[in-house]
Amino acid sequence: MATEVKVPTLGESITEATLGQWLKAPGEAVKADEPIASLETDKVAVEVNSPVDGVMGEQVVAEGDTVLVDAVIAIINEGAAASTAATPAVADRNAVGQAEAAAPAEPASAPVEEDDGDPKTLSPAVRRVVLEYGLDPSKIKGTGKDGRLTKDDVLLAAKTQKPAAAPAAATPAPAVSAPAASFAVSGERKEERVRMTRLRKTVAARLKDAQNTAAMLTTYNDVDMTAVIDARNRYKDLFEKKHGIRLGFMSFFAKAAVLAARDVPAVNASIEGDEIVYRDYVDISVAVSAPQGLVVPVVRDADKLSFAGIEKTIADFGRRAKDGTLKMEEMKGGTFTISNGGVFGSLLSSPIINPPQSAVLGLHRIEERPVVRDGQIVARPMMYLALSYDHRLIDGREAVTFLVRIKEAIEDPTRLLIDL
């Protein structure tokens, strides 16, 4: 008996997705509720599970194809025996957007045998990093769902393992002749063309739209992190023992942003048509790194959460972003964004607004710098802050005031406790 596998409902207003990766090959045994494919939407990756026990049959669409909600993407043969040889996927019958489908599709991933003999499939992003560093994926421990390799797994292995010999190119690169007075090119040079994921295309479009729509401006300040670092070091063990979560810096900045938004409500507002929407709540979008790219889940009612509540929510988002299990509804409705480029080593940047929000706070790395305190030059752990804002709604005075309130709360965390 054959059972059709269809694209599930993807969420409000989302009608299509891209088949990002097949997790099962034709001929492989599958169990009910076991993931067989990964779909990429405008916001997150969604796994499609097998509805029954059986054997993977036809793959009706190819990786990179666009599919509609409720379209058939595969066939599961119930009661059939698993085959050692995989049958080729048939031509796409449910893809839409023929112009996009005409572009060269990403080749199907090859199974990789891990040490326990369980075949795994590399996603296109992971495969690119494996080839770039010349690593043997079978020797890398996967931390993703069901033990699959993530991009972070490969990057970590690249730092600790001795790279294997890089595979030879299928065809030699064309020779490049340079004028005698110009430059010379020696050795083999490679290029790879990879289709943009739906998430990356959506991010690109939204960022460009933000630049085209908002009158965007950025103001900067710096903050002395001494008091927060001292408080964290003093209470981190007790905090973790009581709440089961580490005390980080993000909860301090989230609380400081809530406090500042009460004095400058325009930063937490947005423009809708000819109206300005002011809010008595603060939903903070927190930028989180995921294998598919940067995602921005929302900490709901951050103004009502405790430090522990904020830390637990952000930690949960971080784990599920790496696993690809964030839900689309968790990405919607933020009123203000905090982006921490400091975890990647950024010293200073100008973040871009996340529409329809009107402001975003950029955090950066902490480093000791000389500052003057009481007439003396001393070293202090300093961080640059950047607030990008929509000048159509937020005046320069309001933006500077908001950033100063953040600075005051971080340099004197007692303000966060007494709401000052």
Side-chain angles (χ1 to χ4, degrees), residues 266-284:
V267 173
N268 193 49
S270 63
I271 295 176
E272 292 186 8
D274 295 331
E275 298 178 330
I276 299 174
V277 180
Y278 292 97
R279 304 175 177 90
D280 66 353
Y281 59 90
V282 183
D283 289 345
I284 298 181

Side-chain angles (χ1 to χ4, degrees), residues 94-399:
N94 292 297
V96 296
Q98 295 300 320
E100 181 177 339
E106 184 75 17
S109 303
V112 176
E113 293 292 335
E114 293 195 345
D115 293 339
D116 59 2
D118 183 25
K120 303 295 180 185
T121 304
L122 300 181
S123 69
V126 173
R127 185 167 60 251
R128 287 197 300 274
V129 181
V130 167
L131 292 175
E132 179 182 349
Y133 287 95
L135 298 176
D136 181 355
S138 65
K139 297 181 179 179
I140 304 174
K141 181 176 177 58
T143 61
K145 188 175 181 63
D146 297 328
R148 291 197 296 274
L149 288 182
T150 68
K151 185 177 179 181
D152 290 340
D153 295 333
V154 180
L155 292 176
L156 178 62
K159 297 179 180 179
T160 58
Q161 291 187 20
K162 182 178 179 180
T171 57
V176 180
S177 57
S182 182
F183 60 88
V185 177
S186 61
E188 187 178 23
R189 308 204 307 168
K190 302 176 182 178
E191 290 184 355
E192 180 185 9
R193 292 183 181 270
V194 179
R195 181 183 297 178
M196 292 177 68
T197 65
R198 178 176 292 273
L199 175 61
R200 175 52 57 189
K201 287 189 289 187
T202 301
V203 169
R206 286 175 60 84
L207 292 179
K208 188 57 183 173
D209 182 63
Q211 289 182 319
N212 293 338
T213 302
M216 198 153 53
L217 186 64
T218 304
T219 185
Y220 305 92
N221 211 321
D222 62 358
V223 59
D224 188 340
M225 295 291 291
T226 301
V228 166
I229 291 174
D230 287 347
R232 183 171 178 265
N233 289 339
R234 187 181 309 168
Y235 299 112
K236 64 180 181 180
D237 293 336
L238 289 174
F239 187 89
E240 186 170 4
K241 182 178 180 179
K242 180 175 181 178
H243 300 292
I245 189 70
R246 294 179 60 189
L247 177 61
F249 295 128
M250 282 296 290
S251 54
F252 285 93
F253 281 101
K255 283 291 188 181
V258 168
L259 195 65
R262 291 175 183 167
D263 289 343
V264 190
V267 173
N268 193 49
S270 63
I271 295 176
E272 292 186 8
D274 295 331
E275 298 178 330
I276 299 174
V277 180
Y278 292 97
R279 304 175 177 90
D280 66 353
Y281 59 90
V282 183
D283 289 345
I284 298 181
S285 303
V286 180
V288 176
S289 181
Q292 297 84 10
L294 198 68
V295 294
V296 193
V298 180
V299 179
R300 310 284 179 190
D301 295 321
D303 51 314
K304 299 176 183 178
L305 291 177
S306 64
F307 279 75
I310 293 174
E311 292 291 352
K312 288 179 180 179
T313 302
I314 294 175
D316 178 59
F317 284 155
R319 285 191 298 268
R320 292 194 290 120
K322 289 185 178 181
D323 293 341
T325 57
L326 283 174
K327 300 177 181 178
M328 273 169 288
E329 55 266 26
E330 293 174 319
M331 311 280 194
K332 299 178 181 178
T335 62
F336 179 76
T337 294
I338 298 179
S339 178
N340 186 7
V343 297
F344 304 110
S346 173
L347 176 64
L348 187 62
S349 65
S350 301
I352 298 179
I353 296 170
N354 181 21
Q357 297 174 20
S358 298
V360 53
L361 176 66
L363 310 182
H364 301 89
R365 76 170 185 250
I366 302 171
E367 65 175 8
E368 285 199 341
R369 292 198 295 270
V371 296
V372 177
R373 295 287 184 269
D374 299 324
Q376 301 293 320
I377 299 176
V378 294
R380 288 288 187 270
M382 304 297 293
M383 176 196 289
Y384 287 118
L385 303 178
L387 181 75
S388 292
Y389 58 97
D390 189 344
H391 213 339
R392 297 177 302 165
L393 173 59
I394 303 168
D395 295 331
R397 175 186 60 83
E398 293 175 309

Side-chain angles (χ1 to χ4, degrees), residues 70-93:
D70 208 35
V72 177
I73 61 172
I75 302 295
I76 302 296
N77 297 316
E78 298 181 57
S83 171
T84 56
T87 57
V90 299
D92 172 22
R93 293 201 295 257

